[in-house]
Amino acid sequence: MNSRYLRYELLRTVRNRRFFFLSLGFPLALYFLIAESAKSVHRLAGTGLSAPTYFMVGLISFGTMGAMLSCGVRIAAERAVGWNRQLRISPLTTRAYFRAKLITAYLMAILSIAALYAAGLSLGVSMPLHDWVQMTLLILVCLVPFAALGIVMGHMLMPESIGPAMGGSVALFAFLGGSWFPLSSHGVLNDVGQLLPSYWLVQSAHVSLGAHPMGTKGWIVIAVWTAVLVVLARSAYRRDTGRV
Amino acid sequence: MTAIEASGLRKSYGDVHAVRGIDISIAAGETVALLGPNGAGKSTTIDMLLGLADPDSGEVSVFGGPPTAAVDAGFVGAMLQTGALIRDLSVRELVSMVASLYPSPLPVDEALELTGMSALADHRTQKLSGGETQRVRFAVAIVANPKLLVLDEPTVAMDVEGRRSFWATMRSLASEGRTILFATHYLEEADAYADRAILMAHGRIVADGPTNEIKAKVGTRTIRATLPDADLDALRLLPGVSSAERRGEAIALSCADSDAAIRALLAEHSQARDIEIVAAGLEQAFLELTGDGAHSEPSAVPPAEAVT
């Protein structure tokens, strides 16, 4: 991997101040807004989790889904100015191009996670270190399908349309996955929710209860979404570059 | 050694036959202009030569292999027709970013110097003017230190000073033995800076040769006059005339040297009247070379419906 190329890619992301601070700050502000008032709720609606813990992971899911999909925004912006064609006539491989985009997206997601962990600690969230680590790893794995979705959107949409598409997708995944409030333990919403990767993203909070929150079903959902979206991303890229 | 070898290239986009079967062979070290009006198929041809588009049929090789192999090896630098710059980097950072992708790039400062961007090296790319953006795109193409430099209508957004320094840089790059292919619709640019011009129209190559020959072919003027009983064969032999045709009572002489031709014409046919001398635009010249000229020539006779 060409580290100089990646370094400039990261530099561009940080220099885009409005994007950078909004995508970190927005979930943080929402977290304080929602969780501060519910600080004393120790068992939130049958989840077994304290409100600050549940909403910390809920807002992490919201922020990190946005961080992953924003890789599509960067791809669409580069396509719009013809920069991806310029890169395609350089020795940069397609693989390295996407790797840089994914590393950037993941670093944004990790920053978002770190900011919300700090906010959670300030509201009294606590769990053993290995639970923090396990939860973080689960979150990062559950974000894989969203990385692929970002690439699909980046190669299918223009910069004018990707904003609403991204905002809408994140809102929908967050709503149906339980980012804003715990889904009831049965019923249609729960059945639908369990088929979404965002649901399992939020479920990763349950490691603090000593459970294995993913289960076979969770792994299957994440794997299927990843597989389907990777196939779509590949075909979107091929169609976009005229290599059908 | 051959830099570019293409045979039987065809490419359609839907119903648009952008390129309809062309053969190109360019030796290493040549500077070649790809000349043609808008819509002639120049950009599509360049896309295929660079591996950005796959031809529907035909073969391309660049330095003896597929275009993508030459690109991956870092042999190719290109400035595409459309394109802007990504934002949030300084000019120097952007050129360094691109330089980092190539195995043996030019020093970034040298690329900036050659394109006249040294003074603006620390400016953010989104704050540049159109002409400055073109220069940076040129810097991006040459920082690759390419064996083959491909430029698609490079001077379009440049101001006069930008063009002057651009072509000076191109001259020095060519003198280092690089192969250069540039697309343009300015005959003057092809004439001044290329050894050879390939003329395209309607997706075909209509002429390919040394630029002075091409210039003689398309740099023509047409003399029109009313001259009822002139002998076309005799007219064709007049000095400066390359072809003659009759349209009713009028004659049209295509001239490589219209000054000589008009003197000779009047000396022999003082009765010629309604004389017009018009420069054939490049577009018109192309159409005539492809044999489509007769259809697009404005007719002296009103359409049949209007007469009856």
Side-chain angles (χ1 to χ4, degrees):
Chain A
M1 180 73 197
N2 181 329
S3 63
R4 199 139 61 104
Y5 176 77
L6 177 62
R7 206 177 65 214
Y8 285 121
E9 186 81 21
L10 294 174
L11 186 62
R12 290 182 59 216
T13 308
V14 177
R15 283 212 185 130
N16 189 346
R17 297 246 164 82
R18 257 172 289 185
F19 161 78
F20 188 75
F21 288 111
L22 274 178
S23 52
L24 287 185
F26 196 46
L28 213 51
L30 282 174
Y31 177 61
F32 283 115
L33 208 65
I34 298 169
E36 170 83 344
S37 57
K39 209 158 68 171
S40 53
V41 178
H42 292 296
R43 283 176 170 274
L44 186 71
T47 59
L49 294 166
S50 74
T53 306
Y54 187 88
F55 289 122
M56 179 181 78
V57 179
L59 269 305
I60 281 175
S61 72
F62 174 71
T64 53
M65 282 191 282
M68 299 314 281
L69 294 190
S70 71
C71 121
V73 177
R74 283 188 288 274
I75 291 173
E78 290 188 10
R79 280 172 59 228
V81 297
W83 189 252
N84 66 328
R85 277 164 57 87
Q86 190 69 47
L87 291 177
R88 280 171 55 210
I89 49 173
S90 80
L92 182 73
T93 59
T94 310
R95 194 177 284 267
Y97 171 79
F98 283 122
R99 198 180 311 157
K101 288 276 175 287
L102 294 180
I103 290 175
T104 309
Y106 259 108
L107 287 179
M108 279 304 295
I110 287 169
L111 279 180
S112 186
I113 292 170
L116 277 152
Y117 279 179
L121 288 171
S122 80
L123 293 188
V125 173
S126 73
M127 62 184 92
L129 180 65
H130 59 86
D131 282 353
W132 285 106
V133 172
Q134 197 192 340
M135 183 166 74
T136 309
L137 292 176
L138 283 177
I139 291 170
L140 295 180
V141 170
C142 290
L143 286 175
V144 173
F146 293 98
L149 182 59
I151 292 171
V152 173
M153 287 181 165
H155 280 285
M156 281 179 63
L157 302 173
M158 294 315 285
E160 303 81 55
S161 48
I162 198 165
M166 184 187 132
S169 318
V170 171
L172 202 64
F173 275 116
F175 176 78
L176 295 174
S179 302
W180 302 126
F181 55 87
L183 299 176
S184 57
S185 52
H186 44 76
V188 183
L189 266 188
N190 190 280
D191 294 343
V192 172
Q194 288 198 24
L195 299 176
L196 299 178
S198 50
Y199 175 89
W200 300 100
L201 198 49
V202 177
Q203 289 305 303
S204 60
H206 289 78
V207 289
S208 61
L209 299 179
H212 290 289
M214 287 289 281
T216 316
K217 186 166 187 183
W219 291 114
I220 290 174
V221 168
I222 296 295
V224 169
W225 276 84
T226 300
V228 170
L229 286 167
V230 164
V231 169
L232 286 178
R234 195 179 288 256
S235 95
Y237 176 77
R238 293 227 165 122
R239 198 162 13 163
D240 185 33
T241 55
R243 288 156 188 259
V244 182
Chain B
M1 189 194 174
T2 315
I4 294 176
E5 188 76 57
S7 62
L9 287 189
R10 283 173 186 278
K11 180 80 183 174
S12 299
Y13 294 101
D15 292 338
V16 181
H17 301 286
V19 172
R20 306 163 182 241
I22 60 170
D23 304 300
I24 295 178
S25 176
I26 296 175
E30 267 191 293
T31 299
V32 178
L34 191 57
L35 191 60
N38 289 328
K42 305 190 295 293
S43 293
T44 305
T45 301
I46 284 178
D47 278 1
M48 289 189 282
L49 298 180
L50 292 174
L52 283 172
D54 292 330
D56 296 340
S57 62
E59 299 289 328
V60 196
S61 78
V62 178
F63 296 116
T68 47
V71 163
D72 291 345
F75 293 160
V76 183
M79 183 171 169
L80 301 169
Q81 187 180 10
T82 52
L85 304 170
I86 47 171
R87 39 178 300 136
D88 297 317
L89 287 177
S90 72
V91 169
R92 187 194 308 279
E93 287 164 346
L94 181 75
V95 176
S96 306
M97 183 185 198
V98 174
S100 77
L101 305 176
Y102 287 87
S104 52
L106 288 185
V108 170
D109 284 333
E110 189 181 331
L112 294 175
E113 189 65 46
L114 283 170
T115 51
M117 285 305 292
S118 300
L120 297 173
D122 296 322
H123 283 230
R124 291 284 165 89
T125 51
Q126 65 262 38
K127 302 226 164 115
L128 301 175
S129 73
E132 288 159 358
T133 299
Q134 282 298 87
R135 291 185 193 207
V136 177
R137 296 181 62 225
F138 186 39
V140 162
I142 66 174
V143 79
N145 193 11
K147 287 162 75 175
L148 170 65
L149 187 58
V150 178
L151 307 125
D152 195 351
E153 302 200 4
T155 58
V156 161
M158 286 182 190
D159 52 26
V160 176
E161 168 55 22
R163 275 176 205 218
R164 202 195 55 73
S165 69
F166 169 80
W167 287 115
T169 305
M170 287 283 282
R171 276 232 168 90
S172 81
L173 291 170
S175 70
E176 293 164 3
R178 298 174 205 270
T179 311
I180 297 177
L181 175 68
F182 66 94
T184 179
H185 50 250
Y186 301 118
L187 179 61
E188 306 76 54
E189 286 190 344
D191 184 37
Y193 305 106
D195 317 322
R196 174 181 154 202
I198 298 174
L199 226 76
M200 284 191 78
H202 298 298
R204 292 199 178 86
I205 290 175
V206 292
D208 180 351
T211 30
N212 51 355
E213 281 178 21
I214 301 295
K215 196 188 174 195
K217 261 187 184 155
V218 299
T220 57
R221 288 169 200 251
T222 302
I223 299 175
R224 293 204 184 88
T226 306
L227 192 58
D229 11 274
D231 173 14
L232 279 184
D233 289 330
L235 289 175
R236 267 183 209 113
L237 295 174
L238 291 177
V241 174
S242 42
S243 72
E245 54 185 292
R246 175 183 298 287
R247 285 165 198 160
E249 296 211 317
I251 52 143
L253 308 177
S254 294
C255 307
D257 181 351
S258 58
D259 296 342
I262 189 68
R263 283 188 200 107
L265 177 72
L266 289 173
E268 289 190 21
H269 302 278
S270 55
Q271 75 278 27
R273 57 195 162 80
D274 305 330
I275 297 168
E276 277 186 313
I277 303 180
V278 289
L282 199 50
E283 189 123 6
Q284 190 58 40
F286 289 151
L287 294 175
E288 278 169 10
L289 278 171
T290 53
D292 295 346
H295 308 294
S296 56
E297 192 83 10
S299 173
V301 183
E305 297 93 322
V307 176
T308 51

